[in-house]
C-alpha cells in the first residue's frame, strides 16, 4: 500500500473531522465568571494586597506616579502566592525585542532550601528587574555581540497574567528590555515614553480650554486582527508556508473571492470550534475580544477586541496572535498571519483604531452632535491633520516590511501615500472655519435619520460621513482608523509614531494659542487663527476620494505628499532630520537608537527576501522541475509509442512542458546569480534596494513560469497542494 501524500492526508482529515466531544461548554462556566480569571488585575490586587500597598500601586498604574520600591517585595510575594495557587511553577519577564516577536525566558519559583527540599521564592527585586541574554537580539550596532547582558524592567501599567499550556502554567510579567548601558532594545519602552509626551502636550491644550483631569491623557487602541486558516497537513508539503509563511508558487484557482460569498458568511463548523476555544483562552487572560467573522478572501477570518489603553492593547494583540497559532494546531489547522500568504486574493491587515482621551474625558476625537460647536474636538483633529502632513513618511515607515509590501496599494489595503479622510461634513466645517463663514457649515452638522421604509422598525441615526476603505487614516466617528498596518506586525511602532506626532502638533497648538492670547486676541479668535493656519498649510493631506485611482496618485505628487512604494524607500525616513529631531526632542529615543532601528529593519527586509529567494530556487529545482520532467517523459514515451504504430502524435503539450522547463531552469539560474551579486553589497540600504529592484522581479519570473506549468502537469505528478485545495477544503 502506497504511503498517503500530504495532500491526501489533509483531505482525509477534513472529510473525517468531528468536533472534540470533550471540549468546554459555556453552560458549565459562564463567560462572565471566566473573564480575567488568569489576570493579576485590580480585583485580585484589591483583595490580596495590604490597603496601603494597593493604594500606592494604583497611583502608579492609574495616575502615572513613580513606583515606590518599598512595596515591591509585598507585591511580589502576593503575586507569587496567587500564581502558585493557580498551578504556576515558573515565571517569565515577557518583552518585545526589535525582531517584532514576543520573547520570554522561564525561571522557576522553586529554590533549594539546603536541607534536601525546596522553597518558593520571588522577591521584589526579581519582580522589578530581570536579566536576559541580549547578545543575539538585533541591536543595529548599539552593542557588540560579545556583550550579553540585557535587563528587563517591570511595566506596572500592564497586568501580569498566567499563560496556560497543555502541561504547564507560567506567570507572565510584561516588561521593557534595555541593555546594560541603558540603551533601548525593545518596542515597548519608546511607546511608553511617547505616551508620556502625548499626555504632557495634551494637558497644555486642555488647560487652555479650562478642562482639568486627574487622570493622564492616554492613547487608546483597538486592533482588528485578520488571519488565514488552512488544514495543517498542507503545510507539510509546502516548504514556503513552513518557512516563509506565504506561498511562493500557486496558480490562480478557478474560483477566488470574486463572488463575495465568503465575506460575513456562515462560519465553517471546524473554524467556529477553533474560534470558540481561542476566545475562551483569551477571556481568561482578560482580552476583551468582541467580534469574529469571515473576511473577504476564502479561508480568511477576523478577530477584534474592544478599545483599550494602547500599551495594554499591544500586549493583548501579541497574546491574540500567539493564541491563534497555538489553538489552531489543536484543531489540525495552520494559522497564517502573513500579510499576503496567497497571491491572487486579498491579504491580511491589522487595522489600528486610534483615539486620545481618558475615562473622565472620553475620546477627544468625539465630535458630539454638533462638531462645529466643539472647538476642543476641532483642535485635536487639526493637530492630527498637521501631524499626518508633516510626518506622513514616518507613519509609512512604521508599517514598512517585506511582507506588507505585497499588500499596500493593492485593492485590499490603502495606498502607500499617507493621506487622511475626514468625510464631507467635517471637511466642510474646517473649510468654513478657514473662510471665516461658519454659518455655511452649521445647517448640515447635526446627525440625520434614515427612514427604513418598514413600519415595524424605528428610524436609525445616520453617521455624518461614510467610511473610506481606501484611506490610510480615516475618521470613523470618534476615532481614526490607521489601515496600513500589516497583520503580522507589532502595533507598537505605529502607536509610538502616532503618539509622537500628536504630541508634537498639540505642543504646536498650545504654543500658537498661548502666543495669540498673550498678544491680546480673544480665545475664540486664537482658535480661529490656529484652525485657519492648519487648513492653509496642511490641508493637502486631506483626501476624501478613491485612494486607488490613478488620478489621486498624480494629484498626491502634485500636492507634495511622499509616495514611498516599498520598504527600502520608506525605512530610511527614520533617519531623516525631522524624525530624529521629533524623537530626541520628545525624549522617546536618542539618535543612535533611532538609527539602529532603521538598520535593523533594512537588515530584516534583506534577510526575508534572501530566505524567500533560496526557497524559490529550492522548490523550483526539487519539486516543480522533477514533476515537469516526469510528465515530459510520459508525453515523450506516448508520442514514441504512437509513432511506432505509424500514427501521428500530438506534440503541442509536449512542447509546452519542454519550453516551460527550459524557461524555469533559465530563470532559476538567473535568480541564483542575482542573489549572489546582491550579497556583495556592503550597506543594508543598497542591499535592500537591490533586493526590491532585482531579486523580487527575478523571483516573479520563476513563479510565473512555474504557475504556468501547474496548469499543464497532471495532478498526480504535482506535489504542491493547490490554492483550490488549501483555500476551500475546510
Amino acid at each position: 500500500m502506497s504511503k498517503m501524500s500530504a495532500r491526501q492526508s489533509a483531505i482525509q482529515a477534513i472529510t473525517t473531522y468531528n468536533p472534540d466531544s470533550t471540549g468546554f461548554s459555556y453552560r458549565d462556566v459562564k463567560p462572565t465568571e471566566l473573564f480575567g480569571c488568569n489576570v493579576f488585575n485590580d480585583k485580585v490586587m484589591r483583595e490580596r494586597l495590604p490597603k496601603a500597598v494597593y493604594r500606592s500601586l494604583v497611583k502608579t498604574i492609574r495616575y502615572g506616579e513613580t513606583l515606590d520600591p518599598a512595596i515591591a517585595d509585598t507585591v511580589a510575594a502576593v503575586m507569587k502566592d496567587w500564581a502558585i495557587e493557580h498551578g504556576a511553577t515558573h515565571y517569565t519577564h515577557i518583552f518585545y525585542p526589535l525582531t517584532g516577536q514576543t520573547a520570554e525566558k522561564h525561571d522557576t519559583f522553586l529554590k533549594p532550601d539546603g536541607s534536601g527540599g525546596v522553597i518558593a521564592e520571588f522577591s521584589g527585586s526579581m519582580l522589578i528587574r530581570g536579566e536576559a541574554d541580549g547578545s543575539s537580539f538585533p541591536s543595529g550596532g548599539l552593542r557588540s555581540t560579545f556583550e550579553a547582558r540585557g535587563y528587563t524592567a517591570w511595566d506596572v501599567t500592564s497586568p501580569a497574567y498566567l499563560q496556560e499550556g497543555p502541561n504547564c502554567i507560567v506567570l507572565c510579567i510584561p516588561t521593557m528590555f534595555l541593555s546594560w548601558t541603558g540603551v533601548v532594545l525593545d518596542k515597548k519602552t519608546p511607546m511608553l515614553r511617547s505616551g508620556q509626551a502625548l499626555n504632557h502636550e495634551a494637558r497644555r491644550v486642555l488647560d487652555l480650554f479650562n478642562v482639568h483631569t486627574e487622570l493622564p491623557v492616554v492613547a487608546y487602541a483597538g486592533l482588528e486582527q485578520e488571519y488565514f486558516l488552512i488544514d495543517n497537513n498542507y503545510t507539510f508539503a509546502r516548504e514556503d508556508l513552513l518557512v516563509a509563511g506565504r506561498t511562493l508558487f500557486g496558480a490562480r484557482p478557478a474560483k477566488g473571492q470574486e463572488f463575495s460569498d465568503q465575506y460575513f458568511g456562515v462560519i465553517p463548523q471546524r473554524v467556529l470550534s477553533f474560534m470558540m476555544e481561542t476566545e475562551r483562552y483569551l477571556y481568561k487572560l482578560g482580552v476583551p475580544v468582541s467580534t469574529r467573522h469571515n473576511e473577504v478572501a476564502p479561508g480568511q477570518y477576523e478577530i477584534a477586541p474592544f478599545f483599550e489603553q494602547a500599551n495594554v492593547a499591544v500586549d493583548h494583540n501579541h497574546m491574540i496572535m500567539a493564541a491563534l497559532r497555538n489553538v489552531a494546531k489543536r484543531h489540525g489547522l495552520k494559522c497564517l498571519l502573513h500579510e499576503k500568504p496567497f497571491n491572487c486574493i486579498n491579504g491580511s491587515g491589522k487595522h489600528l483604531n486610534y483615539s486620545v482621551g481618558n475615562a473622565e474625558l472620553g475620546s477627544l476625537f468625539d465630535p458630539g452632535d454638533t462638531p462645529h460647536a466643539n472647538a476642543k474636538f476641532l483642535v485635536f483633529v487639526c493637530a492630527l491633520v498637521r501631524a499626518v502632513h508633516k510626518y506622513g513618511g514616518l507613519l509609512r515607515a512604521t508599517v514598512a516590511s517585506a511582507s506588507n509590501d505585497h499588500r499596500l496599494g493593492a485593492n485590499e489595503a490603502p495606498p502607500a501615500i499617507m493621506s487622511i479622510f475626514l468625510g464631507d461634513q467635517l471637511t466642510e466645517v474646517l473649510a468654513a472655519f478657514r473662510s471665516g463663514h461658519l454659518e455655511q457649515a452649521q445647517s448640515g452638522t447635526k446627525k440625520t435619520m434614515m427612514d427604513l421604509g418598514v413600519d415595524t422598525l424605528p428610524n436609525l441615526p445616520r453617521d455624518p460621513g461614510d467610511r473610506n476603505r481606501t484611506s490610510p487614516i480615516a475618521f470613523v466617528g470618534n476615532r481614526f482608523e490607521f489601515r496600513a498596518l500589516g497583520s503580522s506586525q507589532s502595533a507598537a511602532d505605529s502607536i509610538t509614531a502616532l503618539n509622537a506626532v500628536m504630541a508634537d502638533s498639540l505642543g504646536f497648538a498650545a504654543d500658537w494659542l498661548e502666543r495669540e492670547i498673550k498678544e491680546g486676541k480673544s480665545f475664540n479668535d486664537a482658535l480661529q487663527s490656529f484652525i485657519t493656519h492648519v487648513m492653509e498649510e496642511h490641508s493637502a493631506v486631506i483626501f476624501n476620494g478613491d485612494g486607488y485611482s490613478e488620478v489621486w496618485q498624480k494629484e498626491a505628487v502634485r500636492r507634495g505628499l511622499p509616495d514611498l512604494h516599498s520598504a527600502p524607500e520608506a525605512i530610511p525616513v527614520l533617519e531623516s532630520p525631522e524624525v530624529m529631531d521629533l524623537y530626541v526632542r520628545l525624549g522617546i529615543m536618542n539618535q543612535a537608537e533611532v538609527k539602529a532601528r532603521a538598520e535593523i529593519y533594512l537588515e530584516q527586509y534583506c534577510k526575508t527576501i534572501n530566505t524567500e529567494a533560496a526557497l524559490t530556487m529550492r522548490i523550483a529545482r526539487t519539486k516543480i522541475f522533477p514533476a515537469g520532467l516526469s510528465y515530459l517523459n510520459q508525453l515523450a514515451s506516448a508520442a514514441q509509442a504512437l509513432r511506432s504504430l505509424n500514427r501521428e502524435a500530438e506534440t503541442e503539450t509536449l512542447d509546452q512542458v519542454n519550453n516551460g522547463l527550459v524557461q524555469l531552469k533559465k530563470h532559476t539560474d538567473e535568480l541564483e546569480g542575482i542573489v549572489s551579486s546582491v550579497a556583495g553589497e556592503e550597506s543594508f540600504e543598497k542591499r535592500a534596494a537591490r533586493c526590491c529592484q532585482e531579486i523580487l522581479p527575478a523571483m516573479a519570473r520563476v513563479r510565473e513560469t512555474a504557475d504556468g506549468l501547474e496548469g499543464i502537469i497532471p495532478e498526480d505528478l504535482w506535489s504542491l497542494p493547490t490554492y483550490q485545495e488549501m483555500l476551500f477544503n475546510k
Side-chain angles (χ1 to χ4, degrees), residues 246 402-403 406 604-615 675 688 690-692 695-696 699:
R246 76 178 182 103
S403 53
H406 296 291
Q604 289 174 338
Y605 179 89
C606 295
K607 288 180 176 179
T608 299
I609 302 301
N610 284 334
T611 299
E612 292 184 351
L615 282 167
V675 169
R690 291 191 63 188
C691 282
C692 179
I695 294 181
L696 285 176
M699 288 170 57

Side-chain angles (χ1 to χ4, degrees), residues 514-677:
E514 289 169 357
R515 183 179 64 251
E516 295 280 288
I517 293 170
K518 188 176 180 180
E519 292 176 356
K521 288 187 178 180
S522 70
F523 184 62
N524 286 340
D525 287 344
L527 285 172
Q528 170 88 35
S529 172
F530 170 72
I531 295 173
T532 300
H533 168 79
V534 171
M535 292 301 292
E536 287 178 349
E537 296 296 322
H538 304 290
S539 62
V541 80
I542 300 172
F543 179 67
N544 295 335
D546 182 2
Y548 295 153
S549 67
E550 292 185 12
V551 173
W552 167 237
Q553 312 295 317
K554 296 176 181 177
E555 172 63 14
V557 173
R558 189 191 69 78
R559 294 187 186 187
L561 303 182
D563 186 4
L564 306 171
H565 289 281
S566 66
E569 293 175 274
I571 293 172
V573 172
L574 293 173
E575 297 186 81
S576 66
E578 296 81 9
V579 172
M580 285 284 192
D581 172 71
L582 175 74
Y583 280 148
V584 173
R585 176 165 41 87
L586 295 178
I588 296 170
M589 287 182 282
N590 60 39
Q591 289 190 3
E593 290 166 341
V594 177
K595 185 177 181 180
R597 277 158 174 72
E599 182 175 323
I600 288 168
Y601 297 157
L602 285 171
E603 181 181 10
Q604 289 174 338
Y605 179 89
C606 295
K607 288 180 176 179
T608 299
I609 302 301
N610 284 334
T611 299
E612 292 184 351
L615 282 167
T616 297
M617 292 184 285
R618 177 182 172 85
I619 295 172
R621 287 167 173 163
T622 64
K623 301 280 188 184
I624 298 171
F625 194 87
L629 195 60
S630 295
Y631 189 40
L632 187 67
N633 290 335
Q634 288 183 9
L635 292 172
S637 297
Q640 182 64 33
L642 288 172
R643 292 192 188 98
S644 67
L645 297 173
N646 295 321
R647 294 173 62 183
E648 184 176 349
E650 188 276 317
T651 61
E652 182 178 349
T653 303
L654 187 149
D655 291 339
Q656 281 183 312
V657 175
N658 184 65
N659 291 337
L661 292 176
V662 170
Q663 290 299 308
L664 183 66
K665 184 179 186 308
K666 173 189 172 185
H667 293 321
T668 304
D669 291 344
E670 288 174 349
L671 173 59
E672 185 174 33
I674 294 171
V675 169
S676 178
S677 173

Side-chain angles (χ1 to χ4, degrees), residues 246-544:
R246 76 178 182 103
T247 55
L248 300 172
F249 299 96
R252 179 183 293 273
K255 176 187 175 183
Q257 63 190 49
E258 60 272 14
F259 287 91
S260 299
D261 52 351
Q262 159 79 5
Y263 194 43
F264 280 81
V266 176
I267 301 172
Q269 182 184 22
R270 185 181 185 187
V271 174
L272 184 57
S273 178
F274 151 80
M275 288 178 169
M276 292 289 288
E277 184 178 344
T278 301
E279 289 175 3
R280 181 176 184 268
Y281 177 83
L282 293 170
Y283 285 159
K284 295 170 79 172
L285 293 173
V287 181
V289 289
S290 63
T291 300
R292 60 170 181 251
H293 63 82
N294 289 1
E295 256 300 335
V296 173
Q300 187 184 34
Y301 308 93
E302 179 177 301
I303 182 173
F306 285 107
F307 257 64
E308 300 180 275
Q309 192 167 328
N311 177 40
V312 177
V314 170
D315 287 350
H316 281 173
N317 182 252
H318 279 268
M319 295 181 200
I320 288 172
M321 291 191 288
L324 290 172
R325 292 189 183 102
N326 292 332
V327 176
K329 294 176 184 176
R330 294 200 287 273
H331 290 259
L333 297 168
K334 176 74 172 180
C335 175
L336 302 173
L337 293 175
H338 195 284
E339 282 74 8
K340 197 73 171 179
F342 301 101
N343 194 44
C344 57
I345 56 176
N346 278 10
S348 296
K350 190 191 329 255
H351 298 167
L352 166 56
N353 293 276
Y354 177 83
S355 70
V356 174
N358 63 30
E360 293 177 346
L361 302 174
S363 172
L364 293 168
F365 287 138
D366 189 345
D369 291 333
T370 54
H372 70 276
N374 191 340
K376 176 163 53 40
F377 158 76
L378 293 177
V379 168
F380 275 80
V381 167
C382 284
L384 187 61
V385 169
R386 176 185 179 273
V388 175
H389 188 228
K390 279 183 65 68
Y391 299 106
L394 168 60
L395 296 174
R396 169 68 179 92
T398 66
V399 299
S401 71
S403 53
N404 209 24
D405 273 3
H406 296 291
R407 173 180 162 269
L408 283 181
N411 287 336
E412 75 272 16
I417 302 169
M418 292 294 110
S419 65
I420 190 167
F421 166 84
L422 295 179
D424 292 339
Q425 183 197 53
L426 188 50
T427 303
E428 289 174 6
V429 169
L430 292 174
F433 263 94
R434 178 182 181 180
S435 65
H437 300 290
L438 186 57
E439 68 280 356
Q440 296 177 0
Q442 292 192 12
S443 60
T445 55
K446 290 189 176 182
K447 289 185 178 180
T448 58
M449 305 296 287
M450 289 185 286
D451 184 356
L452 301 181
V454 179
D455 293 340
T456 58
L457 295 178
N459 290 340
L460 298 178
R462 187 198 309 271
D463 286 314
D466 204 351
R467 293 194 179 190
N468 188 328
R469 62 187 299 272
T470 71
S471 177
I473 305 171
F475 180 66
V476 286
N478 63 352
R479 64 193 185 277
F480 283 87
E481 185 179 35
F482 186 37
R483 298 177 54 87
L485 194 62
S487 54
S488 69
Q489 294 178 306
S490 170
D493 284 345
S494 294
I495 290 174
T496 299
L498 284 166
N499 286 349
V501 300
M502 272 297 292
D504 177 77
S505 283
L506 289 172
F508 177 84
D511 289 343
W512 184 286
L513 296 174
E514 289 169 357
R515 183 179 64 251
E516 295 280 288
I517 293 170
K518 188 176 180 180
E519 292 176 356
K521 288 187 178 180
S522 70
F523 184 62
N524 286 340
D525 287 344
L527 285 172
Q528 170 88 35
S529 172
F530 170 72
I531 295 173
T532 300
H533 168 79
V534 171
M535 292 301 292
E536 287 178 349
E537 296 296 322
H538 304 290
S539 62
V541 80
I542 300 172
F543 179 67
N544 295 335

